[in-house]
Amino acid sequence: MPDGLPLYTEGASTFAGQVDALFWTWVAISAFFSLLIAGAIFVFFIRYQRRKRGEIGSTDEPSMVLEIAWSVIPLVIVLAMFGWGTRVFFTQSRPPADAVEYFATGKQWMWKIQHPSGRREINELHVPVGRPIKLTMISEDVIHSFFVPAFRTKADVLPGRYTTVWFEATKPGEYHLFCAEYCGTEHSLMGGTVYVMEPDAYEAWLAQEAVPGGGAAASGEALFAALACDTCHREGSRARGPSLAGVYGSRVELADGSTAVADETYLRESILNPQAKVVRGFQPLMPTFQGQLSEDQLLQLIQHIKSLGAEGVLAGGEAGGPATGGGAP
Ligand code: CUA
């Protein structure tokens, strides 16, 4: 495809080639059958038109071979394309385990980004080339959609639920970033630029702005102490809330006998609506933090909780032996 064609952006991520191959194959198949059918309509229209008054069509038996052929061939083609499309979809939707996690918050009408180092930016995203980047995203208001055409990836950004998008940029440069879900008056202005930089240049860029307190997990740790979460969530028999060490990603037993996986969305709900899923063995004592925390702060708290590995000891909690997991096995 020529670079000059404004409808087409050159791919700049590891899976852009896969997406393009799939897309252009679909275009070719669609064009082939569209032309075949339109051509057949035209030829038959000439060839089989009625020439005499009262003329009727063929009375031959319909061709079984033809019927089977035009059912089975398209079936095989669409199933093959489905399989191929599914593979590309899985590649796009599953970030590699070594992806570096960034955070994005959408709001009317801007993108707020936080780097792992803690540096923040608005409507801009600086990333190093050749490194898988995973964005954990949430909206402060309505549904938005994070879209970078050059990376061939897009994901909805929802209020109340975390979603992710990932990419590994292959070429340094500047790429458009869009909101791809109509979200109000200034939807069309809700965009920006992704700057893909050489790793050295990226490190230099990060160093330009010292971030007091470090990254999201460190901010979350400070917030955890400031909100006095650690008065209840700690080790020991007097703890009124479950220990949070190692809780992230584990299966939690709930008071009603069911279980839940402690992912980001579960942790967020437990902070904003603690009565929704009370851990077995604990009283529903925790107050809600609804309206007291911004989405940024919620993300920081969750990052702090994620950083408390199974071996971790809670900030501000009593120093002690290995975490037992408390009420959260
Ligand atoms: Cu945000 Cu459209």
Side-chain angles (χ1 to χ4, degrees):
M1 261 286 143
D3 286 351
L5 193 65
L7 292 175
Y8 185 79
T9 313
E10 207 185 334
S13 72
T14 46
F15 50 66
Q18 296 176 40
V19 176
D20 287 357
L22 181 69
F23 175 75
W24 290 114
T25 304
W26 261 131
V27 169
I29 291 173
S30 304
F32 173 77
F33 281 102
S34 300
L35 289 173
L36 184 72
I37 291 165
I41 288 171
F42 190 72
V43 168
F44 292 172
F45 155 72
I46 303 287
R47 173 88 175 73
Y48 299 111
Q49 64 179 300
R50 193 171 70 169
R51 292 187 172 78
K52 294 184 298 237
R53 266 184 99 74
E55 192 176 27
I56 56 162
S58 167
T59 51
D60 294 350
E61 281 291 300
S63 164
M64 187 60 89
V65 174
L66 189 61
E67 288 280 353
I68 289 173
W70 73 31
S71 302
V72 170
I73 292 170
L75 180 71
V76 170
I77 292 172
V78 293
L79 283 179
M81 293 304 288
F82 170 74
W84 183 8
T86 305
R87 278 190 59 161
V88 175
F89 176 78
F90 279 163
T91 305
Q92 272 186 333
S93 53
R94 291 199 286 215
D98 62 342
V100 185
E101 190 174 22
Y102 289 55
F103 306 98
T105 311
K107 64 174 283 193
Q108 290 168 318
W109 289 275
M110 66 174 81
W111 293 105
K112 297 192 290 184
I113 309 280
Q114 186 170 18
H115 289 250
S117 76
R119 184 160 179 182
R120 294 164 178 284
E121 47 188 339
I122 286 178
N123 290 343
E124 291 189 348
L125 170 59
H126 290 73
V127 291
V129 70
R131 210 55 96 66
I133 307 284
K134 167 184 159 185
L135 280 169
T136 296
M137 309 183 293
I138 198 160
S139 167
E140 290 185 11
D141 36 49
V142 300
I143 300 175
H144 304 277
S145 180
F146 185 93
F147 181 32
V148 183
F151 298 162
R152 307 287 192 268
T153 192
K154 174 161 72 172
D156 276 8
V157 179
L158 310 170
R161 176 144 58 103
Y162 294 104
T163 55
T164 59
V165 71
W166 84 275
F167 57 84
E168 179 179 332
T170 51
K171 276 180 262 191
E174 294 178 18
Y175 305 98
H176 274 300
L177 155 65
F178 293 99
C179 177
E181 181 77 47
Y182 180 69
C183 56
T185 317
E186 291 175 29
H187 155 72
S188 62
L189 300 176
M190 185 173 166
T193 309
V194 180
Y195 297 89
V196 176
M197 310 169 90
E198 293 293 349
D200 293 350
Y202 175 71
E203 291 304 327
W205 178 85
L206 272 185
Q208 280 170 14
E209 199 172 284
V211 181
S219 308
E221 186 175 358
L223 197 56
F224 196 84
L227 295 168
C229 307
D230 51 324
T231 55
C232 296
H233 290 286
R234 59 193 167 86
E235 301 301 328
S237 53
R238 288 174 298 136
R240 280 166 288 181
S243 161
L244 301 179
V247 73
Y248 176 72
S250 68
R251 190 165 278 281
V252 178
E253 279 187 49
L254 304 177
D256 66 2
S258 65
T259 63
V261 173
D263 57 8
E264 284 93 343
T265 298
Y266 167 86
L267 294 175
R268 183 180 179 281
E269 181 186 47
S270 296
I271 296 168
L272 296 179
N273 184 12
Q275 317 307 333
K277 296 195 174 81
V278 175
V279 174
R280 199 166 64 118
F282 290 90
Q283 295 300 311
L285 297 172
M286 179 169 157
T288 173
F289 287 85
Q290 188 88 50
Q292 298 174 48
L293 295 166
S294 68
E295 291 297 342
D296 282 359
Q297 289 175 315
L298 282 162
L299 261 174
Q300 290 165 0
L301 281 174
I302 291 166
Q303 284 315 109
H304 170 57
I305 294 167
K306 282 167 78 170
S307 74
L308 302 169
E311 306 298 316
V313 176
L314 287 179
E318 288 141 343
T324 54

